[in-house]
């Protein structure tokens, strides 16, 4: 099974029968970005939530899991920022356990490796832990120990976590997840970013952290019409930061979060100072032309050869999920009906993340825990967002450029390159791709979910990247 777990690869659509290039509907240059129409969202009124701690249940929006994520869009132009809370019903949690235990299992794969997909033994171990040991109430309590809010932007309710630092002059950052990630993916970086003195940093490193749920994901509203593509989400994020009162801020992301952060940089909304990515877009033209099967360009350095091998494996073996969600997301009914089916689909994102997750369910310590993995999958299940999240691929199906194509960003950019990402971007490629590269670091560890698996390394890289713009 050669695929990539949480998110970037899927955005590549087949540009031809031979080369799977998911053109994520992204502008390739800042000139292109200038042609993006202005947002049709409500006026960017500056509003700040009344409290930076979770409001009591009586004062919050409480959605049972059967309706979460399906908030009726407010078309009235309301720009208020409202506290949000969620508690899954006991009935939905019992139904989840029942469905897991009632899984109709397929035969075992006919090979002794993962080349046919997510292996039966791994999936059975996951299901056993999910049904008999995983505690969503624990996850729910931890998740809502942070302040949650919702606000209507462009007719859709957008959910987000907003944690303010106790330190003065904290730099606001908006952090965006991807597929099959969620806000749960970023929880481990909230403390180090907002309270750096407790995590090896200084008060000068402090951030205010905003973590939104993508439209159709988690607790955000599910679009009922077309048009919520990457450029539109990018404009909505700028509206959100303005609405929270931030006139200077930075952006960070991986997977879809990288695409959105890069397009924000191309759109250059007032106040956006810089971005950081942990899944960069750096492919040189000779590499793009040689994919998927080569031969590779001559005279590649060792790190470039490593990236080439990762890319060819992904393009040849790892695009199946992305192609289906790009072309036929509504056909994936099984993901909404079978928890185990949903889990297997999510695990089969990229081969290197899958192999790490398989080790976790074999009992190894590997950055993530079984609870980490199942907290995220359970959020997808309880909010019934398997199909609505997949539509983001469909929305971006007609893009003009590949997901990993350089876009010539006009803002300062930092790059973290983790060893077992879909591909580990070499520094030589990053310096060519980003005209204003202010920070680059290659790490010998790490997969696709950097904030989740390597929060300390990602936090340190973000601090270094954004120091250059704090006093600007």
């Amino acid at each position: 099974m050669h695929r990539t777990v949480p998110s970037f690869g899927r955005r590549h659509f087949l540009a031809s029968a031979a080369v799977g290039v998911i053109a994520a509907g992204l502008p390739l240059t800042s000139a292109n970005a200038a042609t993006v129409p202005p947002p049709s969202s409500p006026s960017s009124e500056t509003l700040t939530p009344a409290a930076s701690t979770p409001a009591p249940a009586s004062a919050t929006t409480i959605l049972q899991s059967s309706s979460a994520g399906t908030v009726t869009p407010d078309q009235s132009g309301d720009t208020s920022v409202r506290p949000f809370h969620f508690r899954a019903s006991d009935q939905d949690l019992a139904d989840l356990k029942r469905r897991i235990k009632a899984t109709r299992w397929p035969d075992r794969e006919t090979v002794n490796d993962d080349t046919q997909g997510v292996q039966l033994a791994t999936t059975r171990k996951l299901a056993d832990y999910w049904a008999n040991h995983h505690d969503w109430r624990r996850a729910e309590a931890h998740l809502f120990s942070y302040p949650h809010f919702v606000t209507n932007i462009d007719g859709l309710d957008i959910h987000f976590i907003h944690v303010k630092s106790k330190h003065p002059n904290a730099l606001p950052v908006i952090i965006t997840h991807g597929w099959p990630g969620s806000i749960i993916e970023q929880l481990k970086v909230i403390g180090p970013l907002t309270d750096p003195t407790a995590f090896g940093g200084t008060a000068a490193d402090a951030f205010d952290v905003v973590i939104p749920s993508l439209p159709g994901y988690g607790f955000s509203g599910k679009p009922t019409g077309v048009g919520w593509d990457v450029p539109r989400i990018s404009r909505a994020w700028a509206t959100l930061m303005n609405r929270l009162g931030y006139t200077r801020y930075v952006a960070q992301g991986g997977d879809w979060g990288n695409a959105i952060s890069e397009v924000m940089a191309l759109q250059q909304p007032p106040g956006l100072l810089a971005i950081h990515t942990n899944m960069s877009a750096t492919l040189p033209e000779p590499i793009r032309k040689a994919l998927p099967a080569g031969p590779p360009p001559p005279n590649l350095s060792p790190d470039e050869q490593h990236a080439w091998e990762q890319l060819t494996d992904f393009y040849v073996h790892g695009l199946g999920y992305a192609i289906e969600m790009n072309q036929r997301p509504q056909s994936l009914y099984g993901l909404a009906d079978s928890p185990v089916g949903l889990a297997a689909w999510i695990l089969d994102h990229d081969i290197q993340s899958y192999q790490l997750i398989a080790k976790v369910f074999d009992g190894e310590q590997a950055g993530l825990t079984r609870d980490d993995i199942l907290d995220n999958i359970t959020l997808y299940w309880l909010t019934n967002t398997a199909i609505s999240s997949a539509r983001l691929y469909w929305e971006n199906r007609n893009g003009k450029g590949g997901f990993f194509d350089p876009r010539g960003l006009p803002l300062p950019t930092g790059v973290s390159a983790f060893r077992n990402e879909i591909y580990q971007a070499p520094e030589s490629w990053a310096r060519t791709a980003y005209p204003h590269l202010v920070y680059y670091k290659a790490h010998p560890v790490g997969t696709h979910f950097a904030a989740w698996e390597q929060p300390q390394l990602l936090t340190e890289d973000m601090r270094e990247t954004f120091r250059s713009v704090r006093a600007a």
Side-chain angles (χ1 to χ4, degrees):
M1 167 222 113
H2 294 105
R3 294 178 220 220
T4 39
V5 172
S7 41
F8 320 153
R10 314 157 201 150
R11 317 167 180 148
H12 293 261
F13 318 142
L14 284 184
S16 68
V19 182
V21 178
I22 300 182
L26 312 178
L28 293 181
T29 66
S30 54
N32 288 344
T35 67
V36 177
S40 58
S41 57
S43 61
S44 298
E45 178 181 350
T46 298
L47 296 175
T48 303
S52 60
T53 56
S58 60
T60 61
T61 301
I62 300 179
L63 297 179
Q64 296 299 326
S65 59
S66 59
S67 61
T70 58
V71 182
T72 301
D74 182 353
Q75 305 291 350
S76 67
D78 178 17
T79 59
S80 63
V81 176
R82 311 179 306 274
F84 175 88
H85 188 71
F86 170 91
R87 179 177 172 81
S89 70
D90 292 338
Q91 294 90 336
D92 280 351
L93 293 177
D95 178 66
L96 169 60
K97 302 289 188 181
R98 178 191 63 79
R99 287 172 180 261
I100 296 168
K101 293 176 180 179
T103 299
R104 183 183 183 189
W105 294 98
D107 297 337
R108 181 192 178 280
E109 60 275 5
T110 57
V111 293
N112 293 321
D113 55 32
D114 53 30
T115 56
Q116 291 184 355
V118 177
Q119 293 154 290
L120 182 64
T122 297
T123 314
R124 280 193 173 276
K125 290 171 187 174
L126 179 150
D128 176 73
Y129 189 86
W130 203 2
N132 298 309
H133 304 287
H134 180 257
D135 180 7
W136 171 254
R137 293 296 184 213
R138 170 205 49 77
E140 195 174 66
H142 175 58
L143 180 59
F144 283 93
S145 67
Y146 301 103
H148 291 244
F149 302 91
V150 66
T151 190
N152 191 272
I153 299 176
D154 203 8
L156 192 71
D157 273 351
I158 300 297
H159 161 268
F160 60 99
I161 295 173
H162 185 196
V163 184
K164 296 181 179 180
S165 175
K166 65 182 180 181
H167 298 291
N169 302 315
L171 179 65
V173 58
I174 183 166
I175 306 176
T176 309
H177 66 84
W179 188 97
S182 69
I183 55 171
I184 288 174
E185 186 182 341
Q186 280 90 20
L187 295 183
K188 295 176 184 177
V189 300
I190 293 176
L193 291 174
T194 59
D195 189 10
T197 56
F199 291 89
T202 68
D205 292 321
F207 293 85
D208 284 357
V209 173
V210 178
I211 305 174
S213 297
L214 290 169
Y217 288 66
F219 303 123
S220 279
K222 298 177 182 178
T224 57
V226 301
W228 277 96
D229 57 8
V230 165
R232 187 174 183 181
I233 296 170
S234 301
R235 295 193 298 270
W237 275 199
T239 297
L240 173 61
M241 295 302 280
N242 182 265
R243 191 171 293 178
L244 294 175
Y246 292 129
T247 57
R248 300 173 72 256
Y249 63 94
V250 294
Q252 197 282 329
D255 198 86
W256 283 118
N258 170 71
I260 290 163
S261 299
E262 290 206 6
V263 171
M264 288 181 73
L266 293 176
Q267 293 171 348
Q268 297 188 73
L272 180 63
L273 304 176
I275 74 161
H276 175 272
T277 173
N278 57 277
M279 196 194 84
S280 52
T282 69
L283 298 196
E285 183 65 19
I287 294 292
R288 296 200 302 273
K289 287 182 176 179
L291 288 169
N299 303 317
L300 296 181
S301 66
D303 57 342
E304 291 170 341
Q305 183 65 34
H306 173 65
W308 167 262
E309 291 168 358
Q310 291 176 305
L311 286 161
T312 54
D313 185 71
F314 176 71
Y315 275 66
V316 172
H317 301 290
L319 281 169
Y321 72 93
I323 295 169
E324 183 66 18
M325 293 195 292
N326 165 239
Q327 297 179 357
R328 309 287 289 177
Q330 193 63 33
S331 296
L332 298 169
Y333 289 90
L335 306 186
D337 187 62
S338 167
V340 170
L342 173 65
W345 186 258
I346 284 177
L347 261 59
D348 203 12
H349 172 267
D350 68 277
I351 185 60
Q352 296 175 109
S353 295
Y354 165 71
Q355 290 174 347
L356 179 143
I357 290 170
K359 291 177 181 178
V360 171
F361 283 100
D362 283 339
E364 296 186 29
Q365 299 295 317
L368 297 177
T369 68
R370 291 175 292 186
D371 284 327
D372 286 335
I373 296 156
L374 288 170
D375 291 350
N376 180 62
I377 298 171
T378 303
L379 179 62
Y380 272 84
W381 177 262
L382 293 173
T383 55
N384 193 18
T385 49
I387 301 298
S388 58
S389 63
R391 292 194 190 110
L392 185 54
Y393 289 85
W394 184 90
E395 287 286 355
N396 292 282
R397 69 197 183 284
N398 294 322
K400 302 302 182 184
F403 195 78
F404 298 131
D405 290 354
R407 300 179 186 95
L409 303 189
L411 296 182
T413 304
V415 172
S416 295
F418 289 90
R419 182 67 176 176
N420 295 312
E421 178 53 273
I422 289 177
Y423 81 104
Q424 185 179 33
E427 184 172 3
S428 58
W429 296 1
R431 293 205 172 276
T432 301
Y434 296 107
H436 304 281
L437 188 73
V438 296
Y439 181 80
Y440 171 90
K441 189 164 186 178
H443 295 286
V445 296
T447 63
H448 184 70
F449 304 94
W452 214 14
E453 184 204 341
Q454 300 293 337
Q456 180 177 347
L457 295 179
L458 185 67
T459 297
E460 292 171 353
D461 289 358
M462 290 175 63
R463 290 172 181 167
E464 292 290 341
T465 295
F466 296 131
R467 280 182 183 138
S468 65
V469 300
R470 281 184 179 270

